[in-house]
Amino acid sequence: MAKPNVVSKADLLASAKRCIAEDGIGKLTLKAVAEGAGVTQGTVFYHFRTKDQLLFEIVKDLCESSWNDLNNRTVSLECREGIGQALQSARSRCQYRSFYHQLFYSLVVAGFQQADIRKQLGTLLRMENDRLSQLLDGAGQRTEELPSGTAAILINALIDGLALQALLNEDFPVDDAYDAVERLCNLWFDASE
């Protein structure tokens, strides 16, 4: 029997994540999410008008949770160590068949046709760039040649590009690639000191 329509958006996102973990992205439907949460399909539709909107909300939730967790861990760290923690977090998600990146890149494709998804993804990327820029600025390091905002965009682009390559190549050398990204970040810090 379905529960009354007093389920939270977070409960529906948890149901969707369970559905994906159990059956994969391809079998995720609003109906499956409703069944997993014990509510009607209309309740899910009320919160997420489309499957793509649901996928976006999952990606946004995972992204924000990751950044909040990172901020909690790096509050007392030096800026360089905070960036190291951010790279370690990104490295842990960079793997063949990564759940998060499969969702993210599915949405990127959807965003080519759907302006609302494209706009929401753009906002999410700007938030990530801003958070990374704040980490770079955390200890006051700045360089005129490469401002922290631009450095954040480049680092984020590297991370997303590495994730795409890891999704497509089971033998992708994740550790070597991330070691190189960390060396690039250290060069930025060295130049700004």
Side-chain angles (χ1 to χ4, degrees):
M1 190 78 175
K3 294 180 190 174
N5 292 342
V6 292
V7 67
S8 72
K9 198 173 191 178
D11 292 334
L12 295 174
L13 289 174
S15 176
K17 290 174 193 176
R18 280 191 307 275
C19 289
I20 293 170
E22 292 170 8
D23 301 319
I25 297 169
K27 294 190 179 179
L28 179 69
T29 63
L30 297 182
K31 181 179 179 183
V33 172
E35 288 172 0
V39 298
T40 66
Q41 192 171 342
T43 300
V44 179
F45 184 76
Y46 173 79
H47 289 282
F48 313 102
R49 296 284 182 197
T50 65
K51 180 179 174 180
D52 287 334
Q53 187 61 47
L54 172 62
L55 292 176
F56 173 77
E57 293 294 336
I58 293 169
V59 166
K60 180 181 174 194
D61 180 66
L62 292 170
C63 181
E64 288 176 347
S65 294
S66 178
W67 277 104
N68 290 337
D69 179 53
L70 182 65
N71 284 347
N72 292 337
R73 286 184 291 149
T74 62
V75 157
S76 64
L77 296 176
E78 291 295 319
C79 185
R80 190 182 295 233
E81 293 170 347
I83 291 297
Q85 289 284 323
L87 290 175
Q88 187 60 37
S89 177
R91 181 188 302 214
S92 72
R93 291 186 306 275
C94 186
Q95 51 193 267
Y96 186 65
R97 304 191 56 82
S98 163
F99 164 78
Y100 174 81
H101 288 105
Q102 284 183 46
L103 290 174
F104 178 77
Y105 282 110
S106 294
L107 284 169
V108 169
V109 171
F112 292 141
Q113 301 298 320
Q114 300 175 47
D116 58 328
I117 294 293
R118 183 172 52 250
K119 183 177 178 181
Q120 291 172 354
L121 282 172
T123 299
L124 187 63
L125 287 172
R126 280 191 298 281
M127 180 276 299
E128 283 196 309
N129 291 338
D130 290 345
R131 301 286 281 277
L132 188 53
S133 180
Q134 290 168 6
L135 270 178
L136 290 170
D137 280 340
Q141 281 96 342
R142 290 181 177 83
T143 176
E144 290 180 21
E145 295 83 22
L146 184 60
S148 61
T150 304
I153 290 168
L154 293 173
I155 293 167
N156 237 352
L158 282 171
I159 289 169
D160 288 341
L162 294 175
L164 179 61
Q165 290 192 49
L167 277 174
L168 300 174
N169 180 357
E170 191 170 5
D171 299 325
F172 182 73
V174 173
D175 291 331
D176 292 343
Y178 268 89
D179 288 345
V181 172
E182 192 161 2
R183 286 192 302 274
L184 285 171
C185 290
N186 286 333
L187 289 173
W188 185 85
F189 281 111
D190 293 343
S192 63
E193 293 177 339

